[in-house]
Amino acid sequence: PTPCTYAIGAAGTAGANTGGNGGTGGNTTLGAIITGGGGGGGNGAGAGTSSQQNGGGGGGASGGDLGITGSPGGVSLAQATTLSSVNGAGGASYFSGGSQATVNTTGGNGGTGQTYGGGASGGVNYLNQGSGRTGGVGGKGIIIITEFI
């Protein structure tokens, strides 16, 4: 057998607390044969903003027998008149769910993606909040090799 290099994609980084977007996850690769693209980070919400923020896009896949694109994260939005907000759920992967959607009264940071390939959610904020909210961090990648004899 010929040796083959591999790389497990790292989780994306969290956005800055000034409202920065979460980082895109790294690609998981098996040589030049298979690539599982990292999902996009959730959008952050800056201080003094009250608006919807999009979750990150699902990562793509190429090569191999099973190439499933990840689901995008849900939208986070704030309702200024009732002072309630919802962090959208993170995107799911074939192996994992995304971060859970949360409801709160002051805004909040995006949720962290679950285990392998789970997506993160975006941050959400109100006009009267003095600090920004970060987009969440997505889950890391995985490679599963099945050998038939």
Side-chain angles (χ1 to χ4, degrees):
T2 304
C4 188
T5 60
Y6 69 93
I8 303 297
T13 56
N17 67 358
T18 56
N21 297 342
T24 297
N27 289 341
T28 296
T29 59
L30 182 61
I33 305 167
I34 299 170
T35 299
N43 290 349
T49 63
S50 181
S51 62
Q52 73 180 34
Q53 302 295 327
N54 293 322
S62 64
D65 294 328
L66 186 64
I68 300 174
T69 299
S71 299
V75 173
S76 295
L77 61 110
Q79 188 6 299
T81 58
T82 61
L83 291 181
S84 62
S85 64
V86 177
N87 287 80
S93 74
Y94 181 77
F95 294 102
S96 172
S99 63
Q100 182 177 356
T102 57
V103 177
N104 51 59
T105 58
T106 60
N109 295 328
T112 299
Q114 305 298 303
T115 61
Y116 302 117
S121 64
V124 65
N125 214 355
Y126 289 116
L127 289 171
N128 63 353
Q129 298 296 306
S131 60
R133 307 295 182 171
T134 64
V137 177
K140 63 182 180 180
I142 185 174
I143 295 175
I144 297 174
I145 299 174
T146 304
E147 182 178 5
F148 296 98
I149 299 176

